[in-house]
Structure formats: structure tokens, C-alpha cells
Amino acid sequence: MNTKDQCKQLLDELEQSHELDRSGLIRLLKYADPERLFAAADRVRKIYVGDEVHLRGLIEFSSYCSKTCLYCGLRAENRGLQRFRMTQAEILGCARRAADLGLKTIVLQSGEDKSYAIGELCEIVREIKKLDVAITLSAGEFTKAEYAALKKAGADRYLLRIETSNKQLYESIHSGMSYENRVRCLYDLKELDFEVGTGCLIGLPGQTPEMLVDDLLFFKTLGADMIGLGPFIPCEGTPLAGAAGGDVGTVLRMMALVRLLMPWVNMPATTALGVKDTEGHRKGLRCGANVIMPNMGLNEYKKLYIIYPGKAQGLGNQDPLERVKALILAEGRRVGSSYGGRRRDLGNLR
Ligand code: SAH
Ligand code: SF4
């Protein structure tokens, strides 16, 4: 059997059983015929999570950050960046507008801005919860007690990417942070019964296909409910500004493998994918994605939330929500009308 036929057989096995060993996954990540991989992921997506694409209204509420992740424009040491912090009234105003427009999930994202007391975040969660929406938080690392307080206040989901599951690479791009603590946070969130989202950056300097496959296995072992994958986009004002960055093809292959390995997950076509390639969202929807996160913040702040360049392009042109809805319909899919949480009825078919 030639290599292509062997890969086809591995793909069939993965599509049927949603299991494959590490060496098989490495071969599929390098598959010479990625269209087959994408088509299989699209079939599995349709069977498990259907044609609905869930919209999550993203509010980036603070660009202050105490961490120094080497790849990110918001890192504390990027002194050239003009920072903002939304008031509680501004956050609630954006959430209300998103809910009025029919969005059933609000995602609150920020740098690790320790000036918000946990009680203040809980208060914001409680207020937004009154709008009859699911709430996802993405504000970095906390203690287990702090996560528990946020859960009790009404938060349903939490996004915290592992970024890379390779401890050595992780520590080389997160000075002063601990890999073990990142993993601890994810398992604490799981234990507290959050729907847990994680994911990785693709195209980090020194990252290999083997490391990417280990990321997939990490997601599966954790039992992640949501997976977000994006290309690393080098950002001015950071130590990795001169790096090459990730390519869209590898991101799409990884997305397809996620869908095949963990068919029940919610997986966005990420903002970074859409920034790197104007067709990125469409391509992502065809490779297993079933979520898009339109930015429902205020334009004056969107411009300042520069995790990577290009995010605010096209502001003031077409309404982002309308654009996303049009794309979903053009792809023959439907806009989700429920909270769009993890389908527990599908179980973890392991
Ligand atoms: N501070 C929180 C949430 C904001 S950052 C946290 O770190 O979890 C959200 C995500 O942006 C990060 O998880 C990271 O994967 C992504 N990100 C940061 N810098 C990036 C870059 N240069 N290119 C692409 N994605 C980036
Ligand atoms: Fe801060 Fe998150 Fe950026 Fe790291 S990735 S510097 S924690 S905003």
C-alpha cells in the first residue's frame, strides 16, 4: 500500500471510531490530500453538532495585562500601547445590545487585569445573567476559589488556552509563568463544572507537528468542551515581532483533526483565522467549525485591543454581525437560536 492509501485508511479509522494513535495523527496532520481530511471533518460535524452555527457576542472589556506572554500585544511590557478598561455600565450596555440582537452567549474577555476585584467580576456576571444568556469568561488564571465564585455568580463557560502543551516551549514563551499552574487552572475549571474551552496557537517558533499532535491529545485527555485554534500572528512591540507566524493550512488541518477526534466539541472559526485569511471563517466552517464570535464591543476600544495586528480592519464597514450571518446562510448553514452549550447528550464517546 502506498503512503496515500495508508493515510486514507487511517482517516477512515478516525472517522469511524474517533480514536487514533499519536503516530497516525502525525501522519494525518501531514496528509498530502488535506481535502479528504476536511471533507471527513465536515461530515462528522454535520452528524454530531448539525448545521447550526452558534454566535457568541464577544466583549473585550480590558486591555490591561499583568502577564508578559512573548507573542501578545497586550503583554505588560508593551509600554507603547494605549490601554483601556470598560466601566461596568459600558460592559452591560454592550451585553444588552448583543442580547437584544438575539445573541444567546456573551463572552467577556480581557488581559489579566488584576484591578478588577473578583467580587466586581461576579457582580458583572450576575447583571448580565439577567439578560437570559449563557456567559463565557476568558480572563486568564485565577485560584480555584476565585473560579468557584465566578461559577456561583452564574458564569457557565471558561476559555483558557493551553497555548502549547509542550512544557519547554510553553515556558520559553511565557516568562515568569508556570505550565503546571496553567494545567491546574484547566482541571480546576473542569472540576467546578464549567464548560471548558482550551486550544493552542499554531506556528509558534520552534513548534513541531509532533507538538501539535500532543496538543490534540492534551485536549482529549482534559475532556475539553470547546477548542479554539488560531494562527500565531506576530505583533509589533513584542519579542516575537520578527517571527514567521502560523499558516492557515495547518490551522485547518488541526481543526479537522479536532472535529474527528472529539466530534461533540464546540469549535469556533477564530478571529485570528479570519484576520490571517479573508476567507478564513468560510474555510473554518468547512473544516469542522460550528461557532463564530462576532465582536460586540465598542469601536473606540476594539481599535486598542491589539493582541495581534489586523483585528480591527474593516471597522465601520459592514456590521460584523450581519456579515457573519450572511456567511452562515451562504454556506447552507443555520444561525443557532439556543444557548449552544456542549451537547451533553452526545456524551464523551470514548
Ligand atoms: N488574557 C486571556 C485572554 C485574552 S488573550 C488569556 O491569555 O487567556 C486570548 C488569546 O489570544 C490567547 O489565548 C492567545 O492564544 C491569543 N493570542 C495572543 N497573542 C496572539 C498572537 N500574536 N497571534 C494570535 N493569537 C494570539
Ligand atoms: Fe495577557 Fe492573555 Fe496576552 Fe498573555 S495572552 S499577555 S495573559 S492578554
Side-chain angles (χ1 to χ4, degrees):
M1 218 189 297
N2 67 31
T3 316
K4 238 178 162 171
D5 289 341
Q6 282 170 353
C7 277
K8 169 135 189 353
Q9 209 168 62
L10 289 170
L11 179 58
D12 287 345
E13 183 186 332
L14 178 60
E15 184 174 354
Q16 293 312 314
S17 68
H18 311 302
E19 294 284 350
L20 196 62
D21 63 15
R22 185 173 185 271
S23 67
L25 288 168
I26 294 169
R27 293 191 61 180
L28 285 185
L29 185 57
K30 300 174 178 173
Y31 196 2
D33 195 355
E35 292 303 327
R36 270 186 194 276
L37 189 64
F38 300 159
D42 199 45
R43 283 192 292 273
V44 168
R45 184 270 309 155
K46 195 174 172 71
I47 293 168
Y48 277 78
V49 294
D51 283 337
E52 284 199 327
V53 179
H54 302 291
L55 299 180
R56 321 293 200 198
L58 176 65
I59 302 172
E60 299 160 334
F61 66 94
S62 167
S63 68
Y64 283 88
C65 189
S66 55
K67 293 271 160 58
T68 59
C69 309
L70 259 60
Y71 44 83
C72 178
L74 301 191
R75 64 197 307 272
E77 286 166 13
N78 188 8
R79 311 248 183 250
L81 191 70
Q82 188 191 337
R83 310 269 172 172
F84 72 91
R85 183 176 288 131
M86 286 169 76
T87 63
Q88 189 166 330
E90 285 174 324
I91 299 171
L92 290 177
C94 288
R96 203 166 291 121
R97 184 173 155 265
D100 286 348
L101 288 167
L103 299 187
K104 300 301 287 177
T105 296
I106 301 295
V107 181
L108 296 176
Q109 195 189 76
S110 68
E112 292 212 10
D113 181 354
K114 298 305 177 196
S115 76
Y116 286 96
I118 202 75
E120 211 175 331
L121 289 177
C122 288
E123 174 67 21
I124 294 168
V125 167
R126 273 193 294 272
E127 286 302 312
I128 294 180
K129 208 58 197 168
K130 293 179 187 163
L131 302 171
D132 184 26
V133 289
I135 299 184
T136 306
L137 296 176
S138 174
E141 299 179 7
F142 288 98
T143 64
K144 189 170 184 182
E146 289 168 326
Y147 285 137
L150 292 165
K151 183 80 175 61
K152 193 156 169 248
D156 304 278
R157 313 178 189 141
Y158 205 99
L159 304 178
L160 185 75
R161 290 183 177 173
I162 189 69
E163 316 293 1
T164 170
S165 65
N166 184 282
K167 178 173 156 66
Q168 210 180 346
L169 178 59
Y170 183 92
E171 289 183 346
S172 74
I173 55 173
H174 295 99
S175 55
M177 287 169 73
S178 138
Y179 178 75
E180 283 75 18
N181 195 51
R182 195 75 168 181
V183 174
R184 189 273 304 158
C185 287
L186 287 166
Y187 279 87
D188 280 354
L189 288 162
K190 261 280 171 206
E191 252 177 63
L192 291 165
D193 208 29
F194 276 94
E195 281 185 37
V196 177
T198 191
C200 59
L201 281 168
I202 294 171
L204 290 166
Q207 193 178 40
T208 63
E210 289 73 17
M211 290 179 194
L212 289 175
V213 165
D214 287 338
D215 292 346
L216 297 172
L217 298 172
F218 176 89
F219 305 154
K220 186 136 183 168
T221 305
L222 170 68
D225 303 293
M226 306 174 278
I227 308 284
L229 304 174
F232 159 53
I233 302 175
C235 184
E236 218 34 62
T238 69
L240 297 182
D247 72 281
V248 167
T250 310
V251 176
L252 296 175
R253 284 165 184 258
M254 283 287 286
M255 288 175 68
L257 289 174
V258 163
R259 178 58 69 200
L260 289 161
L261 260 184
M262 307 174 70
W264 49 81
V265 292
N266 281 322
M267 179 165 65
T270 55
T271 308
L273 185 61
V275 166
K276 185 84 193 192
D277 179 340
T278 50
E279 289 293 298
H281 283 168
R282 186 189 309 278
K283 291 178 184 174
L285 287 179
R286 293 178 182 181
C287 291
N290 71 323
V291 169
I292 296 185
M293 299 165 66
N295 193 325
M296 302 305 287
L298 299 172
N299 280 351
E300 58 192 292
Y301 298 134
K302 287 182 196 171
K303 282 185 241 164
L304 303 177
Y305 196 82
I306 309 172
I307 287 184
Y308 48 80
K311 272 180 80 245
Q313 260 163 28
L315 276 185
N317 295 344
Q318 204 194 349
D319 180 329
L321 187 56
E322 288 311 313
R323 200 173 52 222
V324 163
K325 285 183 177 171
L327 169 67
I328 293 168
L329 298 180
E331 286 298 292
R333 307 273 286 270
R334 290 194 308 276
V335 177
S337 54
S338 65
Y339 299 118
R342 154 79 184 270
R343 292 273 309 273
R344 304 238 174 214
D345 53 316
L346 296 176
N348 194 342
L349 308 181
R350 301 188 62 194

